[in-house]
Amino acid sequence: MPDPQVTVNGQPRPLAGTPTRTNALDFLRGLGLTGAKEGCAEGECGACAVMVARPDGAGSRWTPVNACLVPALALDGQEVVTAEGLGTPERLHPVQAGLAAAGGSQCGYCTPGFACSMAAEYYRPDREAGPDGFDLHAIAGNLCRCTGYRPIRDAARALDGPAPADPLAERQASPAPAAVPTRVDGFARPADLAEALTILADHPDAVVVAGSTDWGVEANLRGRRASYVVAVDRLAELRGVSTDGPVEIGAALTLSEVEAALGDTVPLLGEVWPLFASPLIRNGATIGGNLATASPIGDLAPALLALDATLLLASTTGDRAVALADFFTGYRETVLRPGELVRAVRVPTPLAAHTTFRKIAKRRYDDISSVAVAAALDVVDGTVVRARIGLGGVAATPLRARATEAVLEGRPWTQETVEEASLVLAGEGTPIDDQRASAAYRSAMLGNALRAWWDEEWDEGERQ
């Protein structure tokens, strides 16, 4: 197996000897590429953003990610472009020139990260011409502490589209680098699922990473270290999507990839994506990893609970199916056994006719939930025949609101029923006081979720 290396700004850079704990940001800065900075070390500010070449049909697409979270060794065989690779002081890239012309940089700390996120959107193949052709949500994961966002927004909207045929644009016509099997001391990227499961069986204490958006935070802020790391983000067996019958989603697909693959196939998940963290995080976080970390405040689990999702868990002894409602056993604890990983998420069909997702947070975008509520109802002839409600942020685990479901099922879908169910919903879970919200506030928000859905989305005809 050849020594690991990564292509950075067109030049091969050796990874041999890089410690498992070293993230991509520290590796790049060690090369003298100091444009990317560490601002928060947890993927919330985007100061560390770089672009990587990711698969996009027969070609590739420049995709921005948080370099502070990705293990450097996970970039083996991949292509990375930093702000230095976009342009030089003598020959600025159009994104860099636009930021300068609009006054979009003051202290400059965050500017290289903005430039990389903006450049990825600049090269989006289907971007249209004109001021509305630039999707401003593409830079929603980049924070600026001093310039203010108006000049940055102006610089983005001044970028006419599509991008000219420069080398970075032309690169997208060729396939993205294939996954490279990697084996170095303490780190492995297996060639296939069978090898991954064998490694996990041999190293039951190994940490499994894909986008590393959770483990990267643990390593950066809490100093956690792993005796062995197994990267599964490129395993073909974990990257499929099927909508023929039950919807089945490979665990190693990033949330951005799942969103693109599903389109409007699962409307409830379509409500979740814009509110889930930021594009930079969604470009790294995987659906399997998000569930396996068992965060009680994750946005995805409540929606998948409402959809009655099942997880397919793989090990050397075969697959087993576990209902998501039975997957979480305690704070950050699951039924996963040593040597086992999440292979896919399965959502049964037909889907519920009526769904909603409610996220209560201090900010609408790029924030952690104080409370998340997802509901899926089937109403036939005015009667609720089936109800599923998933909750986040009100217990040590994501959970089903089973008492509320029982109140709804078999009852007419009326304001009286909504009010009775809302009183029950307010008492679900075991909310606590913390820095995000009080227990009383969380309970109140639970109680208001069904009322708000009724008031906002059910017209008079549907209420009959």
Side-chain angles (χ1 to χ4, degrees):
M1 190 173 292
D3 288 340
Q5 66 175 24
V6 57
T7 299
V8 181
N9 298 334
Q11 299 296 319
R13 299 285 192 164
L15 286 163
T18 302
T20 301
R21 67 179 181 274
T22 301
N23 61 41
L25 175 62
D26 289 342
F27 172 78
L28 293 169
R29 291 180 63 82
L31 297 177
L33 301 171
T34 55
K37 309 291 197 300
E38 182 183 283
C40 64
E42 56 184 341
E44 289 200 36
C45 74
C48 65
V50 299
M51 300 194 306
V52 297
R54 291 273 179 83
D56 184 31
S60 58
R61 177 179 293 204
W62 291 114
T63 304
V65 298
N66 289 301
C68 75
L69 300 178
V70 181
L73 289 168
L75 296 176
D76 183 18
Q78 303 303 296
E79 294 180 35
V80 176
V81 172
T82 70
E84 292 90 345
L86 293 176
T88 66
E90 296 76 24
R91 190 172 182 177
L92 294 176
H93 185 276
V95 166
Q96 296 167 322
L99 283 167
S105 178
Q106 188 168 315
C107 79
Y109 196 90
C110 67
T111 306
F114 266 103
C116 285
S117 290
M118 290 173 67
E121 170 65 9
Y122 179 71
Y123 289 114
R124 178 163 57 88
D126 55 350
R127 190 169 68 88
E128 299 178 357
D132 296 326
F134 190 101
D135 182 4
L136 290 175
H137 287 287
I139 52 176
N142 297 85
L143 304 183
C144 179
R145 296 164 176 80
C146 52
T147 303
Y149 296 101
R150 185 194 56 77
I152 297 172
R153 180 198 63 192
D154 292 346
R157 286 181 167 166
L159 293 167
D160 207 0
D166 64 14
L168 289 175
E170 293 171 352
R171 170 65 188 85
Q172 296 186 129
S174 301
V180 177
T182 307
R183 282 291 192 100
V184 296
D185 186 32
F187 181 92
R189 167 172 278 123
D192 54 31
L193 178 59
E195 183 184 357
L197 296 175
T198 299
I199 294 172
L200 290 175
D202 293 339
H203 299 273
D205 294 330
V207 171
V208 178
V209 300
S212 199
T213 53
D214 185 80
W215 177 253
V217 176
E218 294 292 316
N220 290 344
L221 299 187
R222 297 175 180 86
R224 292 188 61 188
R225 298 292 181 259
S227 60
Y228 206 92
V229 173
V230 182
V232 300
D233 54 311
R234 306 300 294 169
L235 294 181
E237 299 94 332
L238 274 59
R239 292 184 54 77
V241 173
S242 173
T243 56
D244 184 14
V247 176
E248 190 165 304
I249 307 163
L253 287 168
T254 69
L255 302 188
S256 295
E257 290 171 329
V258 176
E259 180 181 12
L262 291 183
D264 58 2
T265 301
V266 185
L268 179 55
L269 293 181
E271 294 185 58
V272 176
W273 307 133
L275 302 178
F276 191 109
S278 68
L280 284 167
I281 291 294
R282 296 197 297 272
N283 289 340
T286 60
I287 188 169
N290 182 256
L291 298 173
T293 58
S295 170
I297 52 174
D299 293 333
L300 197 54
L304 289 169
L305 284 168
L307 292 170
D308 247 354
T310 295
L311 301 188
L312 303 182
L313 310 181
S315 70
T316 54
T317 60
D319 279 8
R320 66 182 178 120
V322 174
L324 182 61
D326 300 324
F327 181 68
F328 307 107
T329 59
Y331 179 73
R332 295 278 189 167
E333 296 178 346
T334 72
V335 300
L336 277 171
R337 300 165 181 163
E340 198 170 43
L341 55 76
V342 181
R343 182 176 68 78
V345 179
R346 182 177 291 164
V347 175
T349 54
L351 301 172
H354 305 283
T355 59
T356 187
F357 177 72
R358 305 261 158 178
K359 174 174 178 170
I360 294 90
K362 293 182 179 180
R363 299 189 304 268
R364 179 166 177 79
Y365 296 110
D366 196 10
D367 200 5
I368 295 172
S369 293
S370 298
V371 176
V373 181
L377 300 183
D378 281 316
V379 181
V380 178
D381 296 330
T383 299
V384 179
V385 297
R386 189 170 183 274
R388 292 291 183 271
I389 301 174
L391 307 179
V394 294
T397 69
L399 75 158
R400 284 258 305 276
R402 296 184 185 273
T404 307
E405 294 169 1
V407 170
L408 289 169
E409 291 184 346
R411 298 284 300 279
W413 183 237
T414 63
Q415 188 163 9
E416 180 181 359
T417 300
V418 168
E419 185 59 33
E420 183 177 340
S422 295
L423 294 175
V424 175
L425 185 56
E428 297 269 20
T430 54
I432 62 172
D433 296 324
D434 63 17
Q435 66 269 29
R436 280 183 289 274
S438 67
Y441 178 81
R442 287 186 162 98
S443 294
M445 292 303 97
L446 285 180
N448 284 335
L450 290 180
R451 298 186 185 104
W453 189 24
W454 171 267
D455 290 340
E456 295 171 11
E457 299 186 26
W458 291 75
D459 63 30
E460 290 297 330
E462 290 175 305
R463 295 179 189 181
Q464 300 302 317

